[in-house]
Each structure stands twice: as C-alpha cells, then as structure tokens.
Amino acid sequence: MAGQQAATQVSTFCALCVSRCGAKATIADGELVALHPDPSHPTGTALCVKGKAAPELVNHRERLLHPLKRTKPKGGGDPGWQRITWDEALDTVATRLRSLAREHGPESVVFSATSPSTSAMSDAMDWVMRLRRAFGSPNQCVYMELCGWGRYLASMFTYGAPVPGTYMPDLDHAGCVLYWGYNPSVSRLAHATSTVAAVGRGAKLVVVDPRRAGLAGRADHWLRVRPGTDAALALSLAHVMIERGWFDDDFVRHWTNAPLLVRTDTGGLLRASDVSPTGDPAHYVAWDEAGGHRVIYDPARGRHAVDEARLALFGTYEIATTAGPVACRPAFDLVAEQCRDMEPGAAEAITGVPAADIEATARTLWESRPVAFYTWSGLEQHSNTTQIVRAINQLYAMTGSFDARGGNVLFPSVPTNPIDGAELLSAAQRAKAVGVGQRPLGPARFEFVTGEDVYTAALEGRPYRVRGLVNFGANLAMAHGDSARGRDALAALDFFVHADLFMNPTAEQADVVLPVTSAFEAEGLKIGFEINEAAQSLVQLRAPLVPPRGEARSDLQIVFALATRLGLGEHFWDGDLDAAWRHQLAPSDVTLEQLRAEPAGVRVALTTRHRKYAAVDDEGVPLGFRTPSRKIELYSEVLAEHGYPPLAEFNEPRTSPRSRTDLAERFPLILTCAKSLWFCETQHRNIASLRSKVRDPQVELHPHTARERDIAAGDWVRLDTPHGSIRARAKFNASLDPQVVCGQHGWWQASDDVGLPGYPPFGPDSANLNLVLRQQPSDPISGSSPLRASVCDIAPLATTEQSAEPSLA
C-alpha cells in the first residue's frame, strides 16, 4: 500500500513490573503493534501476558491526555474536571506546595508513588525521592509496609542488610530454591524461568504458600501453611535442623552472634563492663568451652579472643560479675529453646503443615545446599510480619549459604553516582516523619510512612496534620485496607496533585490531575537488571517506541519541571534531564551517546565476589555485617532496647478464628489474597485482552467449603467480613485448606471493549476487597496491615442481588 512503512524491530525492556523483561518491540506506521521476548537480553527468556498487552495499554481510549483541574467541591459525584495547560498546572502545584511549606512546614506535604514492583516507577522513583528531600519533606508513602518491609527493612535487624531484597537468589548455581510467600510466575517472570532451568538441572524446589500456585506444582516440597503462621513453620524447620545437627556450625559460630552470652536475670547480652570494672561496655562476652572460661568479643575487631570453634553454643554458665554470680546462656541455646517449642507435631497443629513434611523439608534444606531463597508480599501483609521475617532470616542463616555461590548473593553493580538526594534532607526534618514516634524502628525510620499513619495525620492531625499530597500513580484508596477511610483522608487534604495514565478512585479526589506517558512512550534508564551478574552488567536506555499520547509527559519530566517551578532547579541540573543522567552515569564510563546508539544496552565488565563479609581490611579486621555486633544477629539488642522480643517468635495472627474466638462463629473462614497473573494490582482490568480472561472478580474456595454453603462454581457470592460485604464469583480450588478462602484486590475498572462492567470502589455492589479489610491490628514494629490473614464467611448472593447490574457509579 502506498505510504505504508515497513515494520521495524526495536530492542527494549518491559517496565510494567519488577521483572523488567527484555523485549523486542514491533513498530509499524508509527504505532506499537507488538511486544515479544528477547532471548538475547538477560531477562528476556519470556514475556508475560501484561507485557504482550502493551499496545492496548498505549492506545487505550481512556488514557489521560491533558492536565485537568477540579472545579467542583470534593464529596460530590462530579469533580467538574476542566482541561488546563501544563503551565497553569505546574504553576498551580508549585504555588500551593510552597504555600503549605511556608505556613505549615514542608513535612505537611507527603510524596507518594506507586510501587516500582508493579509499575514503571523504577524509571523515576529515586528522582521522586530527591524531589521530596529537596523540598524538605520526610514523608514518602510507597506501600513499604505492604510490599518491601520484609525483603528490604525487617532483615536489617538480622543481617544489617536487605535480605533477600538486594541479596538476590543465585538461581544459576543453587542446589535448593526456597520460595516463601512468593509466586514468581505472577510477580517476577525472570525468576520463574530461571527457576525452571534450575529444577531442570537438578536443583530442589521448596515452596511455602497456602495455594498450590505457579511453581508450587513442580516443587519437591509444597508446604500449605495456614496464612499468618509462617513464623511457627520457620521455627519448626530450624528446630529439626538444630536437633539433627543439620546446620552450618562453623558459619553460625564465626558469623552470627549465637555464641554471645545472655543473662538469665535481665535477658540482656552480657557485657565486658558487667564482668570487670574496667571492661568496655561495647564489648560482649562468650564462653570458651574448651578452656572453661569466659572470653571477650570486641565488635570493632570482629573476632573473639579465641578460635570461634571453641565457643559454646549450648548450656548454662555461672559468670562472676561485678554484682555477683549470674547464670548466662549462649544466644543460640535460647534460639534452640524457642524453636523446641515448635517441634513438628506442635507446628502441625498451628500451621496445618504435616510434621513429616516439616522433617523432610528440613533435610532437603540441609542436604541440597547452597540454598537460594526469596520472599514477597505474601509475608509482608500480616499483623506479625516482622517476626515472620526474623524467623525465616534465622533459618536461612543456619544453612550457611549467605553470600555464597548458589545462595543469596549481593551481585556487583555498575558504579554510578547516587541520585536519591539523601544528603538534601536534614536530620531534624527526617525526625518529623509521620509515625516514627509510634513505631521508631518501622518504615518511618527510613522515611517511608505507612498508609495508616498518613490517613491518621490527614483526618486526626496526629502527630500533625498532613495537608498536601504529591502522588505519582499510587491508587492509595484501592491498594490499602480501609478504602473508605483512605478516600476520606484524601478528601480532607488542602491540596492534592495526582499523575497517572488513567483516572482512578484515588485520582478522583485530586485537585489537579497530570497525564503520564506509558513506559513505551518515554525514555527510561536502567542500570543493572538484578537477577545475576550478567543482568547486573547491562546498562540500557529504553528508547521511546512511539510519541506520547496527547500532552502526556513522563514521570521524570514532571519531576524535573516541578522541581524548577519550586525553585529547586539547582538540585536538578536546572531541569536538564540529560545532564542529570550524565552525572548519574559518570563513574560507569558509559555515555548517553553510547546508550542511544545501542538500544539493546551496553555491558560493563563486573566480577562477583562471594562471602564479602569475610574480606579483611589493612589491619586484618573482617568486614563483617552492618549490625551492632558486626555479626548476623539471631538475638537483636536493637529490638530488645525498644521493648520488642530479641529472638524470633511466633505470634498468632491478631485477627483469626483462634485469636478472635468472639468472631469465629460468625466468620469461621480464614481470608487471604494473592496477586493475579492477568493484572498489576489495581491496574489493567480495562484492557480487553486481559479482562476477557478474567471477566469478573473471583474468590477461591475449596469445593467442600462451597458445598456446605450451597455454592456452585461460578456463582456470585457475598464475601462477608466483620467490616462489610463485597461481591465476587466463586472459583473452586481443591488445593486450598477448606478453612481458607483467597480473594482478589483491585477490582473497580470496567472494560467497555468486551462489555464487562466496573464495580463501585465504595458502598453497595462493591468488589473492592480492601473496602472490607482494615489496616489494623497492624504489625507493632512495621505497621504492616493484616490483609493476608483475616476472618470471613461466604454465602450465595440473593437472586435480587445477582440480577443487579454493578456499575462504576
């Protein structure tokens, strides 16, 4: 046909989730027509259904194309959106934010962004943090308590590092892969394909999940744990390993604080100052079992006064102190005692996992080392999240696989200049983070504030009133529990600006809405692809595949434009994004010109070093770990000093049929939820090819549970919790425990292209799971909401309810 251009193939990567799968894009007549896997890319073995739907996402007729401003008061059905220019939008936002900072302090403004795990925000997240810090706010709301706390921050109390968040599973060399609350087939396809390859070469696979989903069907051991009881299972596995001697004795003695003595009178670690008037209070005490005397451990030197092989791990020892004799026990003896309470029979009664399976799995974890493990939000949305993570971290330490080939490894990174602006926020401002007073060790300590605390600050003024919100794509009202409270909190703000691809229930509460490009219409710089050394060595500048729709701008362009309007241009290279990227890339010796000339990316030679904690400095002092003891801390003094248990322990979920017997008769079932293969959280249900595969919201339940309630497969049902009811279709899953049901969050969008309705996010006929879940009782350390372990019941919808056509009214 005259004028028709030949189709071209462009190297790129899909940025829709954390997998960042390498891809080839087909461009024809200036349009993106297809996205396919690129096997030459380190993450390009496969591409999920969401990535393949990229052309529909780019070309969707519901995309936001122009800046909008509200002209009618909040609380009504019609915001009265009016199209405005970018200049008016940016001037309005900058003026309002400066006013809030001047009158109430910059901390009165929260900056929020959708999770980089399930969106393209990885392109801009560090720059959003830089903008926030340059502005002077300590408050960043990115769901850290729901998606990240377990992988990145809770492990700091054990390893002093994000494990497994940055210490990634070395799947290419693992002898055993352990996935706990993680389904990479849905969450990170690059891990799923690497795991299949690992199993194909003989690696063992252990999956802990209430559902037999994804790779669980190929696992050597699938442990169907009762939601929220994962700590009991981890302690039981550790018990078997300790009792059988299936733990790395040398690693535990040398690189954990297991030998340090704990006083039985105070429960605290014994200090050198306790045993001698001249002793250093920063030094600890262990027991030399071979020599029959105490020895001092100086964390600054990273070594004990004797060979660690001589140190006692078990027993009780009477130690002469300045205040008299005190009975003391090695920390590992206390760990063993804690685990002994969870012998497999006891753990079976709690977790539902058969004792024989616990025994067999413990053997596999020991005999098939090295172990590589990963966790996800299946462990991060509980009222006892931190203890769950501590127990699993402890179990993993016993394998001795940390930072070893085939274990969890900190792969090398291409050298770059940091750009998150950590130096721009003062300590005084950082101390004002919302929620840090209530949870001093929680996410707010790291400037990540919880949704619960933001809502409280906006509605109740505690600890002060949050008045402004700058939000990049986060659908807060749908993604957090207490959806209606979230809507009210957003409505209570003095000013709210929202940037996104589509209008959604959160954006509808905004004063100004900014249209954002999809990742396929904008440049995006990715330095390292995380999953192995080869992936880490790749630097890729994703080229725009097609021009932006309408007046849409990328998140990065919005950040830099807003920074200059706020008078912060000096921290943003006066709005010159290329100059900023050049600064970021400078240490790598990779140039923008190279990257633009080579869309498939540029490789930087890297070499992985293992067991980096054992490397020594010029004085022979081992690097160790970034903890107070410079060891992996099975016993955490930091937690103890703040009134939390220093040893990992099991706590029954705070809303379960066992802990809330008053609710058990009315709500006898345990409610959990899981990610969907077809959608990224609250997005994409308007994409025809995806929605046609999952037409309606679903709740999975065991056939026996359904029969007891006269429910047939595909029936509309009412899911009842103590906080209300929503609708869903029944889907049978015989792998579930009959007492467990699994819902789906994020349902609200209609898909007109296939004639499927939307659902009101609030009120009757809603399918919004988070509308009937609460943010409390939350984890006492992290504030993590109990979205994965609650109580419910299910009943058939009445005939009149089934015939009512839901709408997005």
Side-chain angles (χ1 to χ4, degrees):
M1 182 181 296
Q4 186 175 28
Q5 300 176 2
T8 59
Q9 299 290 310
V10 179
S11 295
T12 187
F13 63 89
C14 176
L16 293 180
C17 83
V18 72
S19 197
R20 318 294 175 217
C21 296
K24 289 282 190 180
T26 302
I27 312 298
D29 295 325
E31 291 192 6
L32 173 63
V33 296
L35 203 66
H36 301 287
D38 178 6
S40 68
H41 193 284
T43 60
T45 303
L47 192 68
C48 81
V49 292
K50 298 178 286 291
K52 292 176 180 177
E56 291 178 83
L57 177 70
V58 170
N59 298 312
H60 203 285
R61 64 174 176 272
E62 294 174 359
R63 284 276 304 276
L64 290 167
L65 301 179
H66 310 284
L68 304 171
K69 72 174 181 181
R70 173 183 294 275
T71 62
K72 294 184 179 180
K74 296 179 183 180
D78 178 16
W81 296 120
Q82 181 182 101
R83 177 177 169 179
I84 57 176
T85 67
W86 270 103
D87 281 340
E88 181 180 353
L90 292 170
D91 285 342
T92 299
V93 173
T95 298
R96 296 296 301 274
L97 295 183
R98 281 197 300 263
S99 176
L100 289 175
R102 183 174 58 252
E103 296 174 14
H104 306 287
E107 65 274 10
S108 68
V109 178
V110 171
F111 287 68
S112 185
T114 190
S115 170
S117 295
T118 54
S119 75
M121 272 310 296
S122 60
D123 285 354
M125 181 60 79
D126 280 355
W127 297 104
V128 172
M129 294 177 70
R130 184 180 186 88
L131 176 62
R132 170 181 61 79
R133 286 164 167 161
F135 182 77
S137 174
N139 296 318
Q140 181 114 6
C141 186
V142 291
Y143 319 115
M144 180 58 73
E145 74 277 25
L146 303 180
C147 184
W149 174 255
R151 284 167 286 154
Y152 290 94
L153 299 180
S155 56
M156 301 290 282
F157 302 116
T158 305
Y159 288 90
V163 181
T166 59
Y167 282 79
M168 298 295 283
D170 182 7
L171 299 173
D172 296 337
H173 305 104
C176 178
V177 178
L178 169 62
Y179 286 147
W180 203 313
Y182 175 46
N183 178 3
S185 301
V186 167
S187 302
R188 196 174 197 148
L189 194 57
H191 270 175
T193 56
S194 294
T195 303
V196 170
V199 171
R201 62 170 169 75
K204 300 296 184 181
L205 177 61
V206 177
V207 175
V208 184
D209 197 315
R211 302 159 68 236
R212 194 177 188 121
L215 293 174
R218 305 179 68 140
D220 296 275
H221 305 283
W222 166 53
L223 306 184
R224 189 179 70 179
V225 65
R226 177 166 66 93
T229 65
D230 305 81
L233 178 58
L235 293 170
S236 189
L237 288 165
H239 165 72
V240 175
M241 295 173 75
I242 293 170
E243 287 293 299
R244 304 288 190 274
W246 294 341
F247 66 93
D248 191 324
D249 183 89
D250 182 71
F251 182 84
V252 168
R253 290 176 189 275
H254 282 79
W255 299 111
T256 81
N257 68 352
L260 300 187
L261 293 176
V262 180
R263 301 173 59 127
T264 59
D265 57 347
T266 65
L269 290 174
L270 186 68
R271 301 282 188 157
S273 55
D274 293 332
V275 299
S276 170
T278 60
D280 190 329
H283 295 176
Y284 303 94
V285 183
W287 184 258
D288 179 355
E289 196 167 28
H293 58 82
R294 59 175 172 79
V295 293
I296 302 300
Y297 169 65
D298 176 5
R301 301 298 302 169
R303 288 196 174 98
H304 292 80
V306 301
D307 184 351
E308 279 87 352
R310 298 163 57 108
L311 300 179
L313 293 182
F314 301 97
T316 301
Y317 304 92
E318 188 172 279
I319 306 297
T321 74
T322 56
V326 174
C328 298
R329 299 167 64 187
F332 198 68
D333 197 39
L334 297 177
V335 168
E337 180 180 63
Q338 191 95 311
C339 295
R340 197 174 300 123
D341 291 340
M342 284 297 165
E343 56 84 23
E348 177 177 352
I350 293 170
T351 67
V353 178
D357 290 350
I358 296 174
E359 294 263 4
T361 301
R363 178 184 289 275
T364 295
L365 292 175
W366 176 245
E367 294 181 348
S368 299
R369 296 176 301 149
V371 178
F373 90 107
Y374 207 72
T375 67
W376 199 264
S377 51
L379 298 182
E380 295 172 325
Q381 299 173 9
H382 294 285
S383 61
N384 53 5
T385 282
T386 305
Q387 292 300 335
I388 290 173
V389 173
R390 283 273 292 159
I392 295 171
N393 284 165
Q394 172 180 275
L395 172 68
Y396 186 65
M398 291 182 191
T399 71
S401 301
F402 178 75
D403 207 27
R405 180 181 168 89
N408 278 66
V409 178
L410 183 64
F411 293 112
S413 299
V414 173
T416 58
N417 282 319
I419 44 86
D420 63 3
E423 74 282 1
L424 300 178
L425 190 68
S426 70
Q429 280 300 106
R430 191 173 293 112
K432 297 177 183 178
V434 170
V436 75
Q438 292 73 34
R439 287 182 287 268
L441 300 182
R445 180 188 188 189
F446 307 92
E447 303 169 38
F448 297 112
V449 297
T450 71
E452 177 187 348
D453 290 336
V454 169
Y455 293 174
T456 298
L459 292 169
E460 302 173 23
R462 293 189 287 116
Y464 50 81
R465 190 176 164 212
V466 163
R467 297 174 179 271
L469 177 64
V470 181
N471 188 21
F472 289 88
N475 194 353
L476 299 168
M478 294 291 295
H480 288 278
D482 283 318
S483 288
R485 189 167 187 255
R487 172 202 59 199
D488 295 344
L490 294 171
L493 297 169
D494 293 352
F495 181 71
F496 170 22
V497 55
H498 184 95
D500 217 325
L501 279 78
F502 296 94
M503 189 64 69
N504 62 40
T506 294
E508 288 171 352
Q509 301 299 320
D511 299 283
V512 173
V513 174
L514 305 177
V516 176
T517 60
S518 71
F520 309 102
E521 304 158 81
E523 282 190 311
L525 179 61
K526 190 78 177 78
I527 303 173
F529 285 75
E530 290 98 25
I531 65 167
N532 55 30
E533 181 184 291
Q536 279 291 80
S537 74
L538 183 63
V539 181
Q540 190 172 7
L541 184 68
R542 191 188 63 246
L545 302 176
V546 292
R549 293 278 308 279
E551 294 182 286
R553 297 185 182 182
S554 71
D555 293 303
L556 267 179
Q557 290 172 322
I558 295 171
V559 166
F560 274 66
L562 187 54
T564 56
R565 299 290 176 120
L566 286 167
L568 304 172
E570 63 178 309
H571 302 301
F572 286 83
W573 291 265
D574 295 320
D576 186 342
L577 181 52
D578 277 9
W581 274 339
R582 292 185 202 282
H583 167 78
Q584 184 179 6
L585 287 166
S588 72
D589 293 327
V590 176
T591 68
L592 277 181
E593 288 73 21
Q594 284 178 281
L595 294 173
R596 287 186 172 131
E598 301 181 47
V602 174
R603 301 276 183 167
V604 177
L606 299 174
T607 301
T608 301
R609 292 185 301 109
H610 295 104
R611 302 189 186 276
K612 291 176 280 295
Y613 53 84
V616 297
D617 63 18
D618 293 340
E619 297 182 1
V621 176
L623 179 64
F625 297 84
R626 301 175 81 174
T627 61
S629 65
R630 294 183 66 185
K631 304 283 189 179
I632 294 171
E633 299 203 332
L634 307 181
Y635 177 105
S636 172
E637 262 193 321
V638 172
L639 291 172
E641 287 167 357
H642 287 81
Y644 304 118
L647 298 171
E649 65 177 31
F650 166 68
N651 307 122
E652 174 69 23
R654 293 164 68 189
T655 306
S656 79
R658 300 189 188 194
S659 62
R660 291 296 306 272
T661 55
D662 56 316
L663 298 176
E665 183 175 353
R666 176 66 184 87
F667 303 102
L669 301 178
I670 299 165
L671 173 61
T672 191
C673 59
K675 295 178 184 292
S676 169
L677 170 67
W678 301 94
F679 315 115
C680 281
E681 309 302 352
T682 70
Q683 310 166 71
H684 304 146
R685 287 167 180 81
N686 60 341
I687 305 298
S689 66
L690 302 178
R691 181 65 180 275
S692 63
K693 303 299 183 183
V694 184
R695 299 171 63 87
D696 303 303
Q698 298 174 341
V699 59
E700 296 178 57
L701 69 164
H702 193 280
H704 175 73
T705 308
R707 282 195 299 271
E708 288 184 332
R709 290 159 174 78
D710 197 25
I711 294 170
D715 279 358
W716 280 105
V717 297
R718 190 182 70 241
L719 177 63
D720 299 319
T721 79
H723 311 293
S725 303
I726 60 166
R727 63 162 57 207
R729 282 202 190 270
K731 179 182 178 180
F732 288 179
N733 183 343
S735 78
L736 285 171
D737 185 298
Q739 216 186 352
V740 174
V741 301
C742 183
Q744 298 174 343
H745 93 281
W747 279 89
W748 62 278
Q749 284 173 302
S751 183
D752 294 337
D753 290 336
V754 287
L756 292 171
Y759 299 85
F762 318 104
D765 291 325
S766 179
N768 173 14
L769 184 63
N770 283 344
L771 181 65
V772 295
L773 294 176
R774 290 292 178 264
Q775 294 177 308
Q776 295 180 336
S778 56
D779 180 275
I781 298 174
S782 67
S784 299
S785 302
L787 305 181
R788 300 270 182 153
S790 187
V791 294
C792 73
D793 202 1
I794 292 183
L797 272 180
T799 303
T800 55
E801 293 177 289
Q802 295 213 34
S803 63
E805 180 71 11
S807 66
L808 195 59

